[in-house]
Amino acid sequence: MAHRGSIRDLYWAGVVYCLTLLASAQAARAQDEMRLNEGFQRFLAQYCFDCHNESSKDGGLDLESLSQTTGSPSVDIWENVVRKLSSQQMPPPGELRPSDAEYLSALESLTKPLDGWAKQHPDPGYVETIRRLTRTEYTNSIRDLLDLDVDIHNMLPGDESSHGFDNVTVTNLSPSLLERYVSAAREISRLAVGVRAKAGDEIVYRIPPDVTQDVHIAGAPMGSRGGAVFEHHFPQDGDYEIQIHLMRDRNDEIESLRGKHKIDVLIDRECKGTVEFERPPAGTSDKLVDADLKVHIHMAAGAHQVAVVFPEQVNSLLESVRQPLNVHYNFYRHPRIGPAIYQISIRGPFDGTRPVDTSSRGRVFSVYPQTDSEQLACAEQIISTLARRAYRRDLTEADMVAPMQHFQQAAKEGGFDVGIESALSAVLVSPHFLFRIERQPSDVAPSGVHPVGDFELATRLSYFLWSSLPDEELLMLAESGRLSQPDVLKQQTTRMLADRHADALVTNFADQWLYLRNLDAVTPDARLFPDFDQNLRDAFRRETELLFADMLHEDHSVLLLLDSRSTWLNERLARHYGIPHVIGDHFRRVAVEPDQHRGGILRHGSILSVTSYATRTSPVLRGKWVLENLLGSPPPPPPPDVPTLQDNSVAATLPLRERLSAHRENQACAVCHDRIDPVGFALENFDAVGRWRESELEHSVDASGGLPDGRQFVSVSGLEAALLQRPEVFVRTVTEKLLIYALGRGLNPEDGAAVRRIVSDASEEDFRFSSIVHGIVQSVPFRMRERQRP
């Protein structure tokens, strides 16, 4: 494809598109070429670029010069044109518009030369050569390397997000962060080996204050209420003390302390002890009531489930009659029905002994010396096995030097196990573990493109699908050089999607893409929404995660996220939604009727609450969320000189639609809010905590809305239908989000051809989730890399 011819093809494809506009308007067909050229340039300059970007010839967009270019096409500009055409955002509503067939014809004229250029000149985009593991990736890697679940949140800080995900801006390692990694490596090694446990060490599990503890909680034994269930790693065989502290109000008094109460402590669902307490005599302080709520147990080392719960007491009067709200966690607004647990402290071991058989020791000690003469050889085998998995590649002699030095030095002072602990710590602070390093062939030109090596490909694949390090099967295939074969790579992708580790796509990818991580910051005004607590917040998150997990594990079309005839509920969430006959705290799939207004993610309390304010809904936040996360067309940031809208500047009794009309009175605001607000208005039947409503402030809710392409509709069902009418736009956005997450970088215009191919191939399989994942894994950006940034 000749360079100049390619540019001409693209340029005249746009001119042809302008001609279709004129023809569809029954305009005069005998237009001269100059007028068409001028019209096309004005058209692109006005409609193909973001609201506040400079897009005129004076601002840098000279379409005439583009048509005269003799080098490679200006992919960034033409891909922008393609995106605007794909979403039918040009021309804007009110202008004369072509038919869908004419849109498709114009798109084909534009994308065919772009895709042809991309095929002849593959451009995978630049991925950083060295990227640090995120906190989530680090946690999962420790779990799979050592069979050890550790709460890393207390050891390492969170990672900043960019382009919607926290695995993009992870290229630095400050001295203070390095110290945190060193400290974490020592603690993890100590827990995994178990020979140097700190006597009397204390771990505290604190329950959020807005958890309602008057109901049964998931994972607890039947016939219990409140408390907490969690997994705890006991580092050694020995004695441990479990102490319980009760929830107190702002006056430092135990909440709802009436009569006598019991708390059971269960290990692996077996009761190991019970404590009792009661309200002190009138006029006596309750300071010492929970001072001695302790249970002493002897435990075998390893991970065990701990449950600390209240035995349920039978009441003669149903609590739902006496307490109409579902929440009970605050003495002044939501009084508890009974006492609640504030925190659980586990201290120990006391008189601990070295564990003999734990899952983490089994993972570490692949061999064990029987004599002193065998120690060095066994240590080399143990360390090389762990380091190979941790470094995600074959080892060199240099890789073994530092860990073996640590082993020999520590073993002299503390013995074989202590030496292995020290060597393991050295492995966990090695840059080869903390960083994903993609080595580059020396025979590639500085600006050249080359396939990713097999070990690097295994790492890309495992951290994409599992957020963790490759397993042995992947490493063996990489070592043999077979993983990069397309059929082998496809088979491994299928295997990994079916593995339980693929749930990382739910808890890591979906939680970030859909803003579920923001739920922890959602705190609706308790005066306006008194029925909101941590239990409901957790249920919101779980509903959306289970819908995504169902799509993943059953390999449904990604359109299921928009068009589901069922949802996942427990009793707490069903009550919030007004759906009857759902009993118990466990989640189950529930078929829903149209008049129940539930189903896809646009109807989920999670999405609706994270896109609202504490006191009201926000059509702006909701519209922006839809545009950015479902349509892939985020609005630009507002101009710096535009003031924010003040709620108290308009009558508070007006419906929100009228209050927000001030956005559109300022032309600088209207140019973007005319795109954003109508999308959000379609979701106005849901309040700030996701409940369905027909009225607001004694006014009927007006849920009429529209999309930037001019289509109008009413309510969430109309928005869903509009999105499903052109499903390729939503699927393209899902593909782009997955590709950002898989590559750990933002997308470039040059990625447009790869995205189009993935979406096109997936359409032949009804947009099944696996077809998109397979397309990404086989794509040029995933399988190739640039040697260095141009």
Side-chain angles (χ1 to χ4, degrees):
M1 182 171 64
H3 294 179
R4 185 178 179 86
S6 300
I7 295 298
R8 281 292 185 184
D9 289 344
L10 290 169
Y11 182 74
W12 286 109
V15 174
V16 169
Y17 174 65
C18 256
L19 184 58
T20 65
L21 289 179
L22 295 171
S24 66
Q26 298 182 349
R29 296 174 184 269
Q31 303 289 341
D32 60 78
E33 179 181 316
M34 180 176 295
R35 184 176 178 184
L36 282 174
N37 289 346
E38 293 174 353
F40 179 55
Q41 292 179 44
R42 288 196 305 271
F43 186 74
L44 290 181
Q46 184 175 358
Y47 300 136
C48 288
F49 296 88
D50 291 333
C51 306
H52 308 300
N53 288 351
E54 294 181 341
S55 54
S56 66
K57 182 173 181 178
D58 293 337
L61 174 61
D62 185 354
L63 295 173
E64 181 62 30
S65 65
L66 290 177
S67 69
Q68 303 298 329
T69 303
T70 59
S72 61
S74 299
V75 176
D76 54 343
I77 293 179
W78 294 113
E79 286 290 350
N80 198 1
V81 174
V82 168
R83 179 174 289 273
K84 296 292 185 179
L85 281 172
S86 299
S87 58
Q88 296 188 8
Q89 294 185 41
M90 51 180 275
E95 299 282 345
L96 297 172
R97 302 176 67 82
S99 66
D100 287 347
E102 290 167 331
Y103 269 113
L104 290 175
S105 176
L107 272 172
E108 184 178 359
S109 299
L110 284 167
T111 57
K112 187 174 292 185
L114 281 172
D115 293 346
W117 172 268
K119 186 175 182 179
Q120 294 184 23
H121 305 84
D123 185 351
Y126 181 76
V127 175
E128 296 288 349
T129 302
I130 301 177
R131 293 171 50 233
R132 178 174 49 81
L133 298 183
T134 68
R135 184 169 65 180
T136 298
E137 292 169 342
Y138 183 93
T139 301
N140 294 343
S141 297
I142 292 297
R143 177 201 64 201
D144 294 338
L145 178 67
L146 302 174
D147 198 9
L148 184 66
D149 282 309
V150 182
D151 185 7
I152 304 295
H153 288 74
N154 295 326
M155 301 181 183
L156 299 175
D159 302 288
E160 295 183 2
S161 292
S162 179
H163 299 279
F165 300 98
D166 62 7
N167 63 343
V168 175
T169 56
V170 283
T171 57
N172 64 324
L173 184 62
S174 65
S176 60
L177 184 55
L178 177 59
E179 290 181 5
R180 300 282 290 271
Y181 274 114
V182 171
S183 177
R186 290 172 178 167
E187 177 67 14
I188 291 167
S189 301
R190 184 178 64 83
L191 290 173
V193 176
V195 293
R196 293 202 299 178
K198 299 176 182 177
D201 198 12
E202 181 178 26
I203 303 295
V204 175
Y205 297 90
R206 187 164 295 167
I207 301 174
D210 60 342
V211 170
T212 296
Q213 297 190 40
D214 302 311
V215 294
H216 180 265
I217 62 172
M222 298 304 297
S224 68
R225 71 164 182 88
V229 179
F230 52 89
E231 187 173 274
H232 180 77
H233 183 85
F234 295 87
Q236 286 187 333
D237 299 346
D239 296 327
Y240 293 83
E241 178 187 87
I242 299 178
Q243 181 170 13
I244 303 154
H245 292 276
L246 301 176
M247 198 77 71
R248 295 175 179 269
D249 60 23
R250 68 179 65 175
N251 297 322
D252 200 28
E253 296 179 350
I254 297 174
E255 294 183 322
S256 301
L257 181 55
R258 295 180 293 271
K260 295 183 178 181
H261 300 272
K262 295 181 180 180
I263 297 177
D264 291 335
V265 176
L266 301 94
I267 305 295
D268 297 331
R269 305 189 71 82
E270 179 182 350
C271 187
K272 295 292 186 179
T274 299
V275 295
E276 299 183 8
F277 61 96
E278 63 181 326
R279 181 182 181 88
T284 304
S285 172
D286 63 4
K287 298 293 185 183
L288 301 179
V289 168
D290 57 352
D292 199 36
L293 297 183
K294 301 176 182 178
V295 172
H296 295 88
I297 56 177
H298 183 84
M299 289 299 304
H304 297 274
Q305 185 193 71
V306 178
V308 181
V309 296
F310 293 90
E312 189 173 25
Q313 296 180 340
V314 178
N315 294 288
S316 59
L317 182 63
L318 288 178
E319 292 164 358
S320 60
V321 175
R322 293 188 291 113
Q323 299 283 345
L325 295 178
N326 293 302
V327 305
H328 313 289
Y329 66 83
N330 181 286
F331 178 79
Y332 298 94
R333 285 205 179 98
H334 317 95
R336 296 186 188 274
I337 296 174
I341 295 173
Y342 168 60
Q343 73 177 29
I344 301 152
S345 303
I346 301 180
R347 299 186 184 94
F350 301 100
D351 299 325
T353 60
R354 189 191 74 177
V356 177
D357 183 21
T358 65
S359 58
S360 56
R361 279 184 64 88
R363 190 67 62 85
V364 172
F365 293 100
S366 52
V367 295
Y368 203 86
Q370 301 302 312
T371 64
D372 291 346
S373 62
E374 298 175 353
Q375 287 192 7
L376 190 60
C378 288
E380 289 180 346
Q381 183 173 341
I382 290 171
I383 295 169
S384 62
T385 300
L386 291 171
R388 177 177 178 272
R389 182 86 190 278
Y391 298 169
R392 306 172 286 274
R393 57 172 173 79
D394 282 341
L395 300 180
T396 65
E397 292 184 3
D399 292 326
M400 292 292 292
V401 172
M404 287 303 299
Q405 287 177 346
H406 278 77
F407 165 78
Q408 291 173 332
Q409 182 177 352
K412 290 179 181 179
E413 302 174 0
F416 182 78
D417 287 23
V418 174
I420 293 297
E421 177 189 316
S422 180
L424 175 58
S425 180
V427 169
L428 296 183
V429 295
S430 168
H432 302 293
F433 172 68
L434 295 179
F435 288 88
R436 293 168 53 182
I437 304 173
E438 296 192 346
R439 290 166 174 76
Q440 305 171 74
S442 58
D443 57 349
V444 177
S447 60
V449 172
H450 64 88
V452 172
D454 277 64
F455 282 112
E456 287 80 6
L457 183 59
T459 296
R460 280 194 178 192
L461 185 62
S462 64
Y463 280 102
F464 170 32
L465 301 182
W466 290 352
S467 296
S468 185
L469 40 74
D471 63 2
E472 186 61 28
E473 184 170 338
L474 270 182
L475 290 177
M476 291 293 291
L477 288 169
E479 185 177 23
S480 67
R482 296 170 52 211
L483 182 60
S484 55
Q485 298 174 7
D487 56 335
V488 175
L489 186 58
K490 183 175 183 179
Q491 182 271 329
Q492 286 299 305
T493 303
T494 300
R495 176 183 72 86
M496 296 175 70
L497 283 173
D499 191 277
R500 62 181 178 84
H501 288 91
D503 282 337
L505 287 168
V506 179
T507 58
N508 199 16
F509 167 73
D511 274 15
Q512 295 187 77
W513 168 40
L514 301 176
Y515 292 9
L516 300 187
R517 289 189 177 181
N518 296 2
L519 275 169
D520 291 332
V522 171
T523 308
D525 190 314
R527 295 167 298 179
L528 301 175
F529 306 101
D531 213 20
F532 189 92
D533 60 0
Q534 182 67 39
N535 309 56
L536 185 60
R537 187 183 287 113
D538 292 339
F540 279 169
R541 178 185 288 107
R542 194 65 184 139
E543 177 191 22
T544 306
E545 288 180 344
L546 285 171
L547 177 61
F548 192 94
D550 184 51
M551 177 201 68
L552 165 66
H553 296 308
E554 300 299 324
D555 199 17
H556 292 305
S557 168
V558 295
L559 300 179
L560 176 73
L561 297 176
L562 299 177
D563 187 26
S564 176
R565 296 295 181 262
S566 63
T567 193
W568 296 82
L569 303 174
N570 67 353
E571 182 177 354
R572 178 71 178 86
L573 187 56
R575 284 187 179 185
H576 184 74
Y577 288 163
I579 298 176
H581 313 307
V582 179
I583 306 300
D585 55 76
H586 66 284
F587 278 82
R588 80 296 309 262
R589 187 202 306 272
V590 178
V592 291
E593 299 297 330
D595 61 356
Q596 292 174 321
H597 311 294
R598 301 298 160 184
I601 57 175
L602 287 171
R603 303 165 183 259
H604 284 198
S606 58
I607 307 302
L608 297 163
S609 59
V610 298
T611 54
S612 295
Y613 292 122
T615 58
R616 63 168 175 84
T617 61
S618 173
V620 177
L621 294 180
R622 289 177 175 179
K624 179 180 182 296
W625 186 91
V626 171
L627 291 174
E628 182 171 355
N629 292 288
L630 304 187
L631 293 174
S633 302
D641 56 342
V642 176
T644 58
L645 178 67
Q646 300 296 325
D647 280 349
N648 59 7
S649 64
V650 292
T653 57
L654 290 176
L656 187 56
R657 180 185 292 265
E658 296 183 28
R659 281 183 273 165
L660 292 180
S661 63
H663 280 306
R664 292 174 293 281
E665 294 176 359
N666 185 326
Q667 185 59 35
C669 297
V671 70
C672 285
H673 280 280
D674 284 344
R675 294 172 54 201
I676 301 170
D677 294 1
V679 182
F681 284 139
L683 301 175
E684 272 298 281
N685 280 124
F686 296 103
D687 69 9
V689 292
R691 296 175 302 192
W692 183 263
R693 62 181 181 176
E694 299 287 349
S695 62
E696 176 198 10
L697 300 175
E698 300 181 354
H699 299 276
S700 296
V701 170
D702 181 1
S704 58
L707 289 175
D709 61 9
R711 286 178 291 168
Q712 303 294 312
F713 42 77
V714 176
S715 194
V716 62
S717 57
L719 175 56
E720 290 170 337
L723 296 175
L724 293 168
Q725 185 180 358
R726 298 180 49 242
E728 67 282 352
V729 177
F730 172 68
V731 178
R732 181 197 68 199
T733 305
V734 175
T735 302
E736 290 174 343
K737 297 294 184 180
L738 278 167
L739 193 57
I740 293 171
Y741 177 77
L743 298 175
R745 66 165 174 83
L747 298 191
N748 304 317
E750 291 78 10
D751 297 314
V755 171
R756 282 191 293 274
R757 179 173 180 179
I758 295 167
V759 173
S760 176
D761 292 346
S763 68
E764 299 177 2
E765 300 185 44
D766 194 30
F767 300 121
R768 288 189 298 115
F769 183 75
S770 66
S771 65
I772 297 175
V773 172
H774 281 297
I776 290 173
V777 171
Q778 300 285 348
S779 68
V780 167
F782 192 85
R783 299 194 58 183
M784 304 184 74
R785 66 169 286 118
E786 291 180 1
R787 176 173 169 81
Q788 63 183 32
R789 191 186 299 273

